[in-house]
């Protein structure tokens, strides 16, 4: 599976961005798709994931502000980010996994990241 994330950019605090991650392969709907992020000097951390059956989980820091969704017909997963804060600034990565896990090492495939910068 190859993953390609896009949609990052510079936004003011309180603004919104939508990230997309396009996946190759015919088994997309079988994977649990997730978003992680890594801020400068920090470890990569879980943001959200969604199963093929649309079960969703979020990190506490983004719950209520971010929404993960997927379109299996388009092999794409999205991350709608609202009410952005400067602390959301990071490189955002999409990942695919067979496991419903929040742990970085459990992910099977990674895309290249997309930078999100939130100015105060």
């Amino acid at each position: 599976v190859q993953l390609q994330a896009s949609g990052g950019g510079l936004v003011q605090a309180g603004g919104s961005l939508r990230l997309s991650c396009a996946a190759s392969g015919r088994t997309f709907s079988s994977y649990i798709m997730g978003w992680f992020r890594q801020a400068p000097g920090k470890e990569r951390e879980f943001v959200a994931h969604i199963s093929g059956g649309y079960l969703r989980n979020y990190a506490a820091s983004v719950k209520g502000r971010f929404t993960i969704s997927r379109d299996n017909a388009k092999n794409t997963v999205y991350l709608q980010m609202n009410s952005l804060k400067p602390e959301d600034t990071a490189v955002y990565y999409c990942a695919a996994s067979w496991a419903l896990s929040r742990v970085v090492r459990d992910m099977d495939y990674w895309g290249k990241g997309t930078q999100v910068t939130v100015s105060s």
Side-chain angles (χ1 to χ4, degrees), residues 58-105:
Y58 297 93
S61 59
V62 307
K63 197 169 187 178
R65 300 188 297 121
F66 291 10
T67 301
I68 190 170
S69 61
R70 67 190 296 162
D71 185 336
N72 290 334
K74 294 183 178 180
N75 280 14
T76 302
V77 61
Y78 304 98
L79 186 68
Q80 178 66 43
M81 305 186 294
N82 298 330
S83 302
L84 282 160
K85 304 175 182 180
E87 50 264 43
D88 294 318
T89 295
V91 177
Y92 283 71
Y93 298 88
C94 62
S97 171
W98 293 109
L100 192 65
S101 172
R102 304 181 181 216
V103 178
V104 170
R105 66 176 179 271

Side-chain angles (χ1 to χ4, degrees), residues 4-120:
Q4 180 65 52
S6 61
L10 173 64
V11 64
Q12 289 188 332
S16 299
L17 280 175
R18 188 175 84 153
L19 305 183
S20 299
C21 177
S24 65
R26 293 180 290 179
T27 58
F28 174 79
S29 62
S30 300
Y31 284 97
I32 294 158
M33 299 301 299
W35 288 97
F36 290 73
R37 67 186 182 186
Q38 188 166 17
K42 295 188 176 181
E43 294 185 352
R44 193 169 298 188
E45 65 176 8
F46 169 79
V47 175
H49 61 206
I50 183 169
S51 71
Y54 303 98
L55 173 68
R56 298 170 174 86
N57 287 305
Y58 297 93
S61 59
V62 307
K63 197 169 187 178
R65 300 188 297 121
F66 291 10
T67 301
I68 190 170
S69 61
R70 67 190 296 162
D71 185 336
N72 290 334
K74 294 183 178 180
N75 280 14
T76 302
V77 61
Y78 304 98
L79 186 68
Q80 178 66 43
M81 305 186 294
N82 298 330
S83 302
L84 282 160
K85 304 175 182 180
E87 50 264 43
D88 294 318
T89 295
V91 177
Y92 283 71
Y93 298 88
C94 62
S97 171
W98 293 109
L100 192 65
S101 172
R102 304 181 181 216
V103 178
V104 170
R105 66 176 179 271
D106 288 341
M107 299 301 108
D108 297 292
Y109 302 97
W110 290 94
K112 292 183 179 180
T114 184
Q115 176 71 47
V116 172
T117 303
V118 184
S119 63
S120 57

